[in-house]
Amino acid sequence: MKQETSSSAVSASLNGVRNSPRKMRLIANLIRNKEIQNAIDLLTYSQKRKVSFIFKKLLLSLLSNWKKKNDQSENEKFLYIKEIRVNQGKTLKRLRPVPQGRGHRIRKRSSNIIVVLGQK
């Protein structure tokens, strides 16, 4: 899959978040294709506190990256989340003891998040 990159595209990524991708995608689907300020407001009042805090920090970082790349005179009002992907990261494998000397495997999953900003 070839990825198209333009000079105006600004992105931010976060790797190794200690939350499962399935839980992260619930919030990612909530803020996909939203304006950046609306997305931050949604995350502020979301019920999933831990995940929404991670996404909020990532969006603020994305906004900071955009400000560094573009001059301040451009309007932030027309910025929106063009693309957001949550992929599976490394999985830690642990054993939990169960009766009769056996052990069941526990998988502690992690996520990789990529957010791309676009202008309307």
Side-chain angles (χ1 to χ4, degrees):
M1 184 167 115
K2 197 169 190 177
Q3 188 172 358
E4 181 181 319
T5 57
S6 66
S7 62
S8 64
V10 178
S11 66
S13 64
L14 186 60
N15 295 329
V17 180
R18 278 290 300 124
N19 259 329
S20 69
R22 187 175 178 180
K23 291 177 186 175
M24 300 293 272
R25 284 186 192 114
L26 290 173
I27 298 296
N29 292 335
L30 185 67
I31 63 173
R32 184 173 278 127
N33 296 325
K34 297 267 195 272
E35 290 181 3
I36 190 98
Q37 197 56 47
N38 289 345
I40 290 172
D41 291 341
L42 279 171
L43 293 173
T44 303
Y45 299 107
S46 174
Q47 292 295 317
K48 297 202 173 279
R49 302 272 179 199
K50 184 178 177 185
V51 176
S52 61
F53 178 73
I54 292 167
F55 272 108
K56 187 175 175 184
K57 279 183 73 170
L58 188 61
L59 289 183
L60 293 174
S61 171
L62 181 64
L63 202 56
S64 174
N65 292 347
W66 181 81
K67 285 179 183 177
K68 283 182 185 175
K69 191 168 186 179
N70 300 311
D71 56 341
Q72 299 292 338
S73 63
E74 291 187 41
N75 199 353
E76 295 178 22
K77 203 172 191 180
F78 300 109
L79 297 176
Y80 75 104
I81 299 171
K82 182 177 181 180
E83 182 182 355
I84 185 164
R85 285 180 293 177
V86 179
N87 299 325
Q88 185 167 342
K90 289 186 176 182
T91 302
L92 299 174
K93 294 172 179 115
R94 301 290 181 254
L95 288 178
R96 164 159 290 181
V98 292
Q100 299 180 359
R102 297 186 181 123
H104 286 173
R105 180 167 280 182
I106 295 176
R107 291 181 299 276
K108 297 186 176 190
R109 301 176 192 272
S110 65
S111 306
N112 298 332
I113 309 167
I114 301 167
V115 183
V116 178
L117 196 62
Q119 267 187 322
K120 290 185 180 179

